[in-house]
Amino acid sequence: MISKAQISFVTSLQQKKYRKQHQLFVVEGYKSIVEFIQSPLYAVRQIYCTAKFSAKIDKISGNIKYEEISETDLKKISSLKTPQGVLALVEIPESRPVALGALNGEYTFVLDDLQDPGNLGTIIRTLDWFGFNKIICSLETVEAYNPKVVQASMGSLSRVSVMYEDLQDLYKRVDGLPIYATALNGSSIYQDTWAAPGLIVLGNEGQGISEVSLEASTTKINIPKLGQAESLNVAIATTVFCSEIARKKL
């Protein structure tokens, strides 16, 4: 039986300050937890599961501690309206500066102050689908370990390294690497103006690209507008860019 102290501890991890304090975040759902157990990027600290999943968890948990709890208690520690039977505490990896050598010869997506956790989670899932294994976020971008981000990524966070950087400092350190800022007045992504691999910067949902990113950019690019919509969702825009990169490679 899970104690009141454990319930309080797990539920506290729904808040950023406690995730940062304890360097832990929550993952829910059997499939996602399996992916984090298999991930070289993360370490699973503790698993809670209902009797329905106990045998499955016993087979895959290895040396990871797990505890069988009631569905009532799982509801107390879950952030979901309908808990999925399994919940894990996963260690937040140590933050390291972006390795500049890893950026050469590749397209790397940079998120400039994104605020919506659903967008970030969807972007991580999209990048995973298209074979990207890293993403760079500004310091003001929503935290990758927010429960809504983790849930929206559908396990893809286990394979995509999310790095947070001061973008102004990053742009200074990547001298010579193309920086493509997505902007309404940019050239079409269907032209060859961004043929060389580099950084693709996507902006805030409401404000777009920051002045820092615009000033650092070597080229401005956009997705041509053919209809009447005012704007394109940033996660959808990411998918379009990923698809065009895949087309270039295939």
Side-chain angles (χ1 to χ4, degrees), residues 12 19 46 63 65 111 121 125 129 169 232:
S12 75
R19 290 193 293 272
Q46 169 85 42
N63 295 324
K65 295 187 295 182
L111 303 183
R125 186 180 179 187
W129 173 268
D169 177 63
L232 189 63

PDB file of all heavy atoms in Angstrom, residues 12 19 46 63 65 111 121 125 129 169 232:
ATOM      1  N   SER A  12       3.693  15.966  -6.097  1.00  0.00           N
ATOM      2  CA  SER A  12       4.469  17.206  -6.122  1.00  0.00           C
ATOM      3  C   SER A  12       5.252  17.344  -7.421  1.00  0.00           C
ATOM      4  O   SER A  12       5.553  18.465  -7.866  1.00  0.00           O
ATOM      5  CB  SER A  12       5.441  17.261  -4.932  1.00  0.00           C
ATOM      6  OG  SER A  12       6.556  16.411  -5.118  1.00  0.00           O
ATOM      7  N   ARG A  19      10.115  19.062  -9.634  1.00  0.00           N
ATOM      8  CA  ARG A  19      10.855  18.237 -10.596  1.00  0.00           C
ATOM      9  C   ARG A  19      12.319  18.660 -10.615  1.00  0.00           C
ATOM     10  O   ARG A  19      13.220  17.832 -10.652  1.00  0.00           O
ATOM     11  CB  ARG A  19      10.247  18.367 -12.002  1.00  0.00           C
ATOM     12  CG  ARG A  19       8.877  17.722 -12.155  1.00  0.00           C
ATOM     13  CD  ARG A  19       8.474  17.606 -13.612  1.00  0.00           C
ATOM     14  NE  ARG A  19       8.247  18.897 -14.262  1.00  0.00           N
ATOM     15  CZ  ARG A  19       7.090  19.529 -14.274  1.00  0.00           C
ATOM     16  NH1 ARG A  19       6.043  19.009 -13.639  1.00  0.00           N
ATOM     17  NH2 ARG A  19       6.946  20.683 -14.916  1.00  0.00           N
ATOM     18  N   GLN A  46      11.608   4.386 -10.199  1.00  0.00           N
ATOM     19  CA  GLN A  46      10.560   3.678  -9.445  1.00  0.00           C
ATOM     20  C   GLN A  46       9.335   3.503 -10.317  1.00  0.00           C
ATOM     21  O   GLN A  46       9.013   4.370 -11.127  1.00  0.00           O
ATOM     22  CB  GLN A  46      10.196   4.494  -8.198  1.00  0.00           C
ATOM     23  CG  GLN A  46       8.960   4.048  -7.450  1.00  0.00           C
ATOM     24  CD  GLN A  46       9.228   2.944  -6.450  1.00  0.00           C
ATOM     25  OE1 GLN A  46      10.228   2.986  -5.751  1.00  0.00           O
ATOM     26  NE2 GLN A  46       8.357   1.963  -6.380  1.00  0.00           N
ATOM     27  N   ASN A  63      16.289  -4.440 -12.335  1.00  0.00           N
ATOM     28  CA  ASN A  63      16.656  -3.974 -10.988  1.00  0.00           C
ATOM     29  C   ASN A  63      15.855  -2.752 -10.541  1.00  0.00           C
ATOM     30  O   ASN A  63      16.116  -2.205  -9.473  1.00  0.00           O
ATOM     31  CB  ASN A  63      18.153  -3.653 -10.936  1.00  0.00           C
ATOM     32  CG  ASN A  63      19.021  -4.882 -11.137  1.00  0.00           C
ATOM     33  OD1 ASN A  63      18.674  -5.971 -10.687  1.00  0.00           O
ATOM     34  ND2 ASN A  63      20.146  -4.709 -11.812  1.00  0.00           N
ATOM     35  N   LYS A  65      12.961  -0.738  -8.924  1.00  0.00           N
ATOM     36  CA  LYS A  65      11.968  -0.995  -7.882  1.00  0.00           C
ATOM     37  C   LYS A  65      10.562  -0.762  -8.421  1.00  0.00           C
ATOM     38  O   LYS A  65      10.322   0.216  -9.132  1.00  0.00           O
ATOM     39  CB  LYS A  65      12.207  -0.075  -6.677  1.00  0.00           C
ATOM     40  CG  LYS A  65      13.506  -0.312  -5.948  1.00  0.00           C
ATOM     41  CD  LYS A  65      13.570   0.525  -4.689  1.00  0.00           C
ATOM     42  CE  LYS A  65      13.597   2.010  -5.013  1.00  0.00           C
ATOM     43  NZ  LYS A  65      13.715   2.855  -3.793  1.00  0.00           N
ATOM     44  N   LEU A 111      13.777  25.625 -30.948  1.00  0.00           N
ATOM     45  CA  LEU A 111      12.497  26.207 -30.546  1.00  0.00           C
ATOM     46  C   LEU A 111      12.739  27.477 -29.748  1.00  0.00           C
ATOM     47  O   LEU A 111      13.385  27.452 -28.707  1.00  0.00           O
ATOM     48  CB  LEU A 111      11.690  25.197 -29.732  1.00  0.00           C
ATOM     49  CG  LEU A 111      11.418  23.848 -30.427  1.00  0.00           C
ATOM     50  CD1 LEU A 111      10.543  22.976 -29.546  1.00  0.00           C
ATOM     51  CD2 LEU A 111      10.786  24.046 -31.784  1.00  0.00           C
ATOM     52  N   GLY A 121       5.325  18.496 -27.017  1.00  0.00           N
ATOM     53  CA  GLY A 121       5.205  17.044 -27.031  1.00  0.00           C
ATOM     54  C   GLY A 121       4.979  16.502 -28.435  1.00  0.00           C
ATOM     55  O   GLY A 121       5.563  15.488 -28.840  1.00  0.00           O
ATOM     56  N   ARG A 125       7.463  14.083 -30.776  1.00  0.00           N
ATOM     57  CA  ARG A 125       6.949  12.862 -31.420  1.00  0.00           C
ATOM     58  C   ARG A 125       7.176  12.904 -32.933  1.00  0.00           C
ATOM     59  O   ARG A 125       7.555  11.895 -33.550  1.00  0.00           O
ATOM     60  CB  ARG A 125       5.455  12.723 -31.106  1.00  0.00           C
ATOM     61  CG  ARG A 125       4.825  11.424 -31.583  1.00  0.00           C
ATOM     62  CD  ARG A 125       3.354  11.412 -31.215  1.00  0.00           C
ATOM     63  NE  ARG A 125       2.687  10.200 -31.678  1.00  0.00           N
ATOM     64  CZ  ARG A 125       1.371  10.015 -31.605  1.00  0.00           C
ATOM     65  NH1 ARG A 125       0.604  10.957 -31.069  1.00  0.00           N
ATOM     66  NH2 ARG A 125       0.837   8.894 -32.043  1.00  0.00           N
ATOM     67  N   TRP A 129       9.548  10.462 -35.344  1.00  0.00           N
ATOM     68  CA  TRP A 129       9.002   9.775 -36.522  1.00  0.00           C
ATOM     69  C   TRP A 129       9.943   9.935 -37.727  1.00  0.00           C
ATOM     70  O   TRP A 129      10.178   8.995 -38.492  1.00  0.00           O
ATOM     71  CB  TRP A 129       7.619  10.325 -36.854  1.00  0.00           C
ATOM     72  CG  TRP A 129       7.044   9.786 -38.154  1.00  0.00           C
ATOM     73  CD1 TRP A 129       7.163  10.336 -39.396  1.00  0.00           C
ATOM     74  CD2 TRP A 129       6.289   8.580 -38.306  1.00  0.00           C
ATOM     75  NE1 TRP A 129       6.519   9.550 -40.329  1.00  0.00           N
ATOM     76  CE2 TRP A 129       5.972   8.467 -39.685  1.00  0.00           C
ATOM     77  CE3 TRP A 129       5.853   7.601 -37.412  1.00  0.00           C
ATOM     78  CZ2 TRP A 129       5.236   7.399 -40.197  1.00  0.00           C
ATOM     79  CZ3 TRP A 129       5.103   6.534 -37.924  1.00  0.00           C
ATOM     80  CH2 TRP A 129       4.809   6.443 -39.292  1.00  0.00           C
ATOM     81  N   ASP A 169      23.831  32.953 -27.036  1.00  0.00           N
ATOM     82  CA  ASP A 169      25.135  32.319 -26.845  1.00  0.00           C
ATOM     83  C   ASP A 169      25.332  31.198 -27.870  1.00  0.00           C
ATOM     84  O   ASP A 169      26.420  31.045 -28.438  1.00  0.00           O
ATOM     85  CB  ASP A 169      25.245  31.763 -25.426  1.00  0.00           C
ATOM     86  CG  ASP A 169      26.553  31.033 -25.183  1.00  0.00           C
ATOM     87  OD1 ASP A 169      27.613  31.676 -25.262  1.00  0.00           O
ATOM     88  OD2 ASP A 169      26.510  29.804 -24.950  1.00  0.00           O
ATOM     89  N   LEU A 232      -0.138  29.214 -38.995  1.00  0.00           N
ATOM     90  CA  LEU A 232      -0.025  27.756 -39.014  1.00  0.00           C
ATOM     91  C   LEU A 232       0.526  27.299 -37.668  1.00  0.00           C
ATOM     92  O   LEU A 232       1.509  27.863 -37.170  1.00  0.00           O
ATOM     93  CB  LEU A 232       0.912  27.325 -40.148  1.00  0.00           C
ATOM     94  CG  LEU A 232       0.999  25.835 -40.474  1.00  0.00           C
ATOM     95  CD1 LEU A 232      -0.342  25.306 -40.953  1.00  0.00           C
ATOM     96  CD2 LEU A 232       2.069  25.598 -41.548  1.00  0.00           C
TER      97      LEU A 232
END
